[in-house]
Amino acid sequence: MREHYGAVARDARVVIVGAGIVGCSLADELTVRGWSDVTVLEQGPLFAPGGSTSHAPGLVFQTSPSKTLTDFARYTVEKFSALEVEGRSCFNPVGGLEIATSQERWADLHRKAGLATSWGVRGELLGPARCAELWPLLDPDRILGGFHTPDDGLARALPACRAQSERAAARGARFLDRHTVTAIEREGGRVTAVVTDRGTFPADVVVSAAGFWGPLIGAMAGVPVPLQPLAHQYALTAPLPELAGANGPRTEASRPILRFQDRDLYYREHTDRIGIGSYAHRPLPVDPARLPAYDDAPVMPSSLPFTAEDFAPSWEESVGLLPALGASRVEEGFNGVFSFTPDGMPVLGESREVRGFWLAEAVWVTHSAGVARAVAEWMTDGRPGMDVHACDLYRFEEVQRSPAYVAERGQRNFIEVYDIIHPLQPMEQPRPLRVSPFHVRQRELGGYFLEAAGWERPHWYEANAPLAEALDLPPRDPWSARYWSPIAAAEARATRERVALYDMTPLKRLEVTGPGALGFLQRMTTNQLARKPGAVTYTLMLDEGGGIRSDLTVARLSEHHFQVGANGEPDLDWLLRHAPDDVRIADITPGTCCIGVWGPLARDLVQPLTRDDFSAEAFGYFKVRRTYLGHVPVTAMRLSYVGELGWELYTTADMGLRLWDTLWEAGRRHGVIAAGRSALGSLRLEKGYRAWGHDMTTEHDPYEAGVGFAVRMDKGDFIGRAALEGRGEETVARRLTCLTLDDPAAIVLGKEPVYADGVAAGYVTSASYGYTIGRTVAYAWLPAAIAVPGTAVHIEYFGEKVPATVAAEPLFDPRMERIRR
């Protein structure tokens, strides 16, 4: 058995590279869990070593569209609030204030207030006058309102480093400055030591917490780190008479952190001066290999010369918002280096190729303590105590790991850091990157493409516009109308009434072969896979705590040959880590493609193309066979993600276009259409199918998520089984719950808070208009006592509480008659 994730022995020798806020926080979190052989190496002096921590303004805004980032930030606030250095707290809870100067931003702040409620962060929407009371320098006539979060504030990063390092040192850790790492030694696929200019340090575990130097440390270990350093402008005004006496030397700031996101700016007090941070300038990428050493830098390695010409427009905007600045000036400034990733999330986890080498990179002060806790739990317990799949080192596909992609997307994330981003909004470059073999036909049909994991995915087709002309659909608000078309309703209806082709190529496909394949997959998943070849099984992968790592479909093609439908690259990584020597795992996604043929006329379309019997009796639901459709060899699986009769048809990429054309020509007499992911999302929610990563994660067990049917406790041991002992449908305290909106015209999109009896009780995971049932369907996490059909609740959408009702699921075809016929 190959090595896999699991708790590392407490006597392991741990070397952390970097004594910034992440490295110091991690040392504290590890030593409090009983690890004492921890060495932290820093190339600069302690505890202002010259990286991002040394110049970071310390802003902690907890609310984010990402629940994970919010949880990280919440713990940072909690921990730093309890730390003191020389009698001063390491966190100053001045609060946060985001202001709106446009109607679009004002609407977005209402949405953000909903996110705060969903994730448990206190917040309140305020009028202009109240905003000016909190920030007297504001011109209230310039703003429409603001969002105030009283528990946000300023982290004192360097004192927090010192406080945590002192606690860690008292438990046995050591901190060594002026040690520049020059190499990471490896043997047998594992790290063995860290080499510095002042000696070699044997290590069983190495954690790169080097910030924007992370790519250099990763390169020493042979581990690419998808991180792009960029410079960010920060300026300090001259002393302002208006702030004289407002703050003392130990207070430094008393007013909330102010964010002027309409102009990519933020402000914080520095006693009698104001610090101004700007994301409004052009991206300024930095090569960490070209930065000077600490002693050679004019100020510090991360502090680059201020480019006044880039800041000039931001100063004008600042004077307009804060008129008192008109009598002041920029007294000093610098361009500080920060880390950005292709998707704006941290990079965490252990390398599979170089065991014992961990990453805790692309982490801002805001999330530092939370990240450190998660990584420490991961290292000591074998799993983090919260869902971190969006931060996983292996979340990126291979095509997303090129230096060009990392640089381009990282710079774009800098530009968009304060932009109003729709949940479906893709970055525009580099595109197209990955296309299915059907792409040429999809473009001919007027496909409207969005992007995910590098794939161009059609969401609807303009060729179907005539089908939508007669539909009577409720009007949409501007937000829900983005990246949507009434054509999706027509495509959903055609799927329910006739037959449609869906491009399912972007779904991850793995091939698992070898004499140990069955036993391996049995160990890795929850359902019974010891079935005859020709069977397909829906199953789950759990972590050791019983949390849902992923859901899979496993098709047994022959005795030792399985095809696995997975959710992404982390699934491949997890399986590879655990695979025994007699099992081979291959990602076959790039060389294959898939068309979902779904609808009541699916059999009428497919049967004439093959000599095999596709009747319900001969080819039952959740079965698989290899056959030919016309000239095309296919693996046909009788599955459906839309709740209708049909098949997933797989073939090699070189035969993909021929498969599409064969199905299209045969389907003409049946009114076949091509349908996109917008219709798919609606249909799957009507059927109650879960989407991993949205509706369920490692924070949920199968019974809570409503997928306990995929667990067979009597089949033998599997990862997570012990944690499920004693659990069941009757023991859950919360449930993933189906809701329908009472008003047929009301819309929600996901992540909105759900209220019961006027109190926030949960949040929406997925939502879409159900075109078959004529109202919006939403799934939400709610307490089990509330998750009873018929219970009345409210969902807050842009500040308005929309009535909804708990519904029995599935809403569509509960007896499974259509899908099995």
Side-chain angles (χ1 to χ4, degrees):
M1 179 73 71
R2 298 169 190 159
E3 293 182 85
H4 57 82
Y5 273 135
V8 182
R10 285 194 176 188
D11 60 354
R13 298 165 298 179
V14 179
V15 174
I16 299 172
V17 180
I21 192 64
V22 178
C24 290
S25 296
L26 181 57
D28 183 46
E29 295 288 339
L30 287 173
T31 55
V32 81
R33 288 167 171 77
W35 288 23
S36 58
D37 194 349
V38 176
T39 300
V40 183
L41 301 176
E42 175 52 58
Q43 63 181 344
L46 298 173
F47 284 96
S52 299
T53 302
S54 301
H55 70 248
L59 281 62
V60 179
F61 278 89
Q62 298 173 82
T63 306
S64 165
S66 164
K67 180 178 180 292
T68 298
L69 291 184
T70 299
D71 288 344
F72 285 158
R74 181 187 295 109
Y75 182 69
T76 299
V77 170
E78 175 188 327
K79 184 175 187 181
F80 289 4
S81 295
L83 295 176
E84 288 189 354
V85 172
E86 297 177 353
R88 291 182 63 191
S89 173
C90 292
F91 186 77
N92 184 358
V94 295
L97 178 63
E98 301 178 50
I99 53 97
T101 59
S102 66
Q103 289 294 342
E104 185 180 21
R105 181 69 62 178
W106 185 225
D108 187 61
L109 292 185
H110 283 75
R111 184 177 67 94
K112 188 164 288 185
L115 288 170
T117 303
S118 290
W119 311 147
V121 177
R122 287 199 305 155
E124 182 184 10
L125 291 164
L126 306 176
R130 178 60 180 144
C131 291
E133 289 178 15
L134 291 172
W135 249 87
L137 275 63
L138 269 174
D139 178 0
D141 294 332
R142 180 81 188 273
I143 65 176
L144 301 176
F147 177 50
H148 181 226
T149 45
D151 300 322
D152 291 340
L154 296 167
R156 299 177 61 232
L158 295 181
C161 287
R162 177 179 164 188
Q164 292 179 103
S165 66
E166 288 175 352
R167 299 198 321 182
R171 305 183 193 112
R174 58 177 175 166
F175 291 75
L176 304 176
D177 65 359
R178 302 292 186 172
H179 282 66
T180 299
V181 174
T182 58
I184 307 291
E185 292 186 347
R186 295 162 279 162
E187 184 177 339
R190 290 198 61 91
V191 294
T192 58
V194 177
V195 181
T196 76
D197 57 351
R198 297 177 64 181
T200 297
F201 296 82
D204 303 300
V205 176
V206 175
V207 184
S208 178
F212 57 77
W213 284 289
L216 304 183
I217 302 300
M220 295 178 194
V223 177
V225 179
L227 179 163
Q228 174 61 55
L230 287 146
H232 159 60
Q233 290 200 298
Y234 195 77
L236 280 168
T237 68
L240 296 170
E242 292 82 357
L243 294 183
N247 303 300
R250 294 176 63 83
T251 306
E252 192 177 5
S254 55
R255 294 185 175 96
I257 309 159
L258 180 65
R259 288 207 284 190
F260 182 19
Q261 293 175 298
D262 284 325
R263 294 297 182 269
D264 298 308
L265 295 165
Y266 64 84
Y267 309 86
R268 58 152 293 184
E269 294 175 301
H270 291 271
T271 311
D272 60 351
R273 302 195 292 171
I274 292 178
I276 306 172
S278 172
Y279 293 100
H281 55 84
R282 61 193 168 93
L284 300 168
V286 175
D287 180 356
R290 299 172 67 91
L291 291 174
Y294 186 92
D295 292 325
D296 297 330
V299 180
M300 64 178 93
S302 65
S303 182
L304 304 181
F306 189 63
T307 50
E309 65 279 8
D310 288 314
F311 193 75
S314 294
W315 178 253
E316 291 183 17
E317 294 288 355
S318 297
V319 171
L321 184 71
L322 308 171
L325 296 184
S328 186
R329 69 185 190 284
V330 173
E331 192 168 75
E332 58 182 293
F334 64 94
N335 291 0
V337 184
F338 286 82
S339 301
F340 288 80
T341 59
D343 59 4
M345 298 293 286
V347 178
L348 312 178
E350 183 188 12
S351 168
R352 183 178 70 249
E353 296 82 3
V354 183
R355 302 314 313 273
F357 185 79
W358 288 72
L359 295 176
E361 296 292 10
V363 182
W364 293 8
V365 171
T366 306
H367 311 113
S368 55
V371 164
R373 179 178 66 170
V375 173
E377 290 170 341
W378 208 342
M379 293 171 65
T380 59
D381 301 332
R383 61 186 292 267
M386 59 177 291
D387 169 45
V388 297
H389 82 271
C391 309
D392 195 295
L393 166 62
Y394 289 92
R395 69 187 182 271
F396 298 114
E397 296 284 325
E398 184 175 1
V399 297
Q400 297 174 295
R401 300 175 198 156
S402 72
Y405 185 95
V406 172
E408 192 165 353
R409 286 291 171 100
Q411 292 178 59
R412 190 66 207 173
N413 267 303
F414 176 90
I415 293 170
E416 295 182 353
V417 72
Y418 278 173
D419 286 0
I420 299 171
I421 304 295
H422 191 278
L424 294 175
Q425 181 176 335
M427 290 189 180
E428 293 305 319
Q429 297 297 331
R431 291 180 62 191
L433 190 61
R434 307 174 82 182
V435 297
S436 78
F438 326 126
H439 188 67
V440 62
R441 296 291 182 262
Q442 293 167 341
R443 292 186 63 182
E444 291 169 357
L445 293 170
Y448 183 87
F449 297 91
L450 300 179
E451 180 263 348
W455 286 103
E456 294 296 318
R457 306 195 302 180
H459 276 240
W460 63 82
Y461 295 87
E462 290 296 329
N464 297 323
L467 302 177
E469 292 174 357
L471 297 180
D472 183 18
L473 298 174
R476 290 214 167 201
D477 64 277
W479 185 252
S480 66
R482 293 188 190 183
Y483 305 104
W484 175 84
S485 168
I487 295 171
E491 293 176 358
R493 175 173 290 188
T495 306
R496 292 277 189 243
E497 296 177 351
R498 301 191 305 277
V499 62
L501 307 185
Y502 287 83
D503 181 1
M504 305 303 288
T505 300
L507 299 183
K508 177 72 75 175
R509 290 175 294 285
L510 308 176
E511 187 177 67
V512 182
T513 57
L518 175 61
F520 166 64
L521 289 172
Q522 286 279 70
R523 165 70 177 158
M524 297 302 297
T525 69
T526 60
N527 213 336
Q528 179 58 263
L529 303 182
R531 303 170 63 194
K532 293 180 180 179
V536 183
T537 306
Y538 176 81
T539 188
L540 309 171
M541 287 199 301
L542 307 181
D543 63 18
E544 294 287 357
I548 303 171
R549 278 194 60 95
S550 189
D551 62 341
L552 312 173
T553 54
V554 179
R556 192 171 192 182
L557 303 180
S558 64
E559 183 178 4
H560 303 307
H561 186 181
F562 296 80
Q563 182 171 313
V564 177
N567 280 297
E569 197 74 2
D571 291 347
L572 173 61
D573 173 57
W574 181 252
L575 292 171
L576 287 171
R577 289 177 187 274
H578 290 79
D581 292 336
D582 60 350
V583 171
R584 180 180 177 273
I585 303 170
D587 180 1
I588 61 172
T589 312
T592 57
C593 57
C594 177
I595 299 176
V597 182
W598 292 318
L601 301 182
R603 183 177 287 115
D604 297 323
L605 190 160
V606 174
Q607 182 62 81
L609 299 174
T610 178
R611 297 181 181 181
D612 288 329
D613 187 352
F614 270 52
S615 67
E617 296 75 21
F619 198 157
Y621 186 53
F622 264 77
K623 298 296 182 181
V624 60
R625 68 171 52 168
R626 287 170 162 169
T627 185
Y628 287 87
L629 296 183
H631 298 283
V632 183
V634 300
T635 299
M637 297 187 196
R638 181 131 179 239
L639 309 176
S640 171
Y641 202 46
V642 300
E644 294 289 347
L645 169 68
W647 288 264
E648 291 180 359
L649 302 174
Y650 298 88
T651 191
T652 52
D654 62 317
M655 294 299 294
L657 190 58
R658 184 62 177 261
L659 175 61
W660 180 281
D661 289 344
T662 298
L663 294 169
W664 188 261
E665 185 60 33
R668 286 181 182 274
R669 70 185 67 179
H670 304 295
V672 71
I673 67 162
R677 296 193 67 86
S678 187
L680 181 77
S682 171
L683 297 170
R684 73 99 177 166
L685 282 172
E686 290 182 333
K687 191 59 182 170
Y689 292 149
R690 278 63 169 146
W692 186 84
H694 296 278
D695 301 318
M696 55 190 186
T697 68
T698 55
E699 295 183 358
H700 313 109
D701 76 30
Y703 307 111
E704 295 172 324
V707 288
F709 63 86
V711 177
R712 294 290 182 268
M713 295 292 284
D714 59 353
K715 76 160 189 172
D717 195 24
F718 56 83
I719 293 176
R721 185 187 185 282
L724 296 185
E725 290 283 0
R727 301 193 206 179
E729 301 287 349
E730 67 286 350
T731 67
V732 301
R734 58 181 177 174
R735 294 185 189 277
L736 184 62
T737 307
C738 180
L739 307 175
T740 56
L741 273 58
D742 295 354
D743 181 355
I747 302 287
V748 299
L749 297 182
K751 299 187 179 180
E752 298 90 355
V754 181
Y755 290 80
D757 296 325
V759 178
Y763 60 91
V764 174
T765 57
S766 296
S768 177
Y769 198 85
Y771 302 111
T772 310
I773 66 168
R775 64 188 64 242
T776 293
V777 181
Y779 273 77
W781 280 103
L782 292 175
I786 297 172
V788 178
T791 301
V793 297
H794 288 83
I795 301 173
E796 183 180 317
Y797 183 69
F798 284 92
E800 179 184 354
K801 290 187 172 61
V802 182
T805 303
V806 175
E809 60 170 336
L811 298 169
F812 180 79
D813 190 24
R815 298 179 63 181
M816 301 288 285
E817 294 172 339
R818 294 173 68 96
I819 204 168
R820 293 181 183 275
R821 62 187 175 188

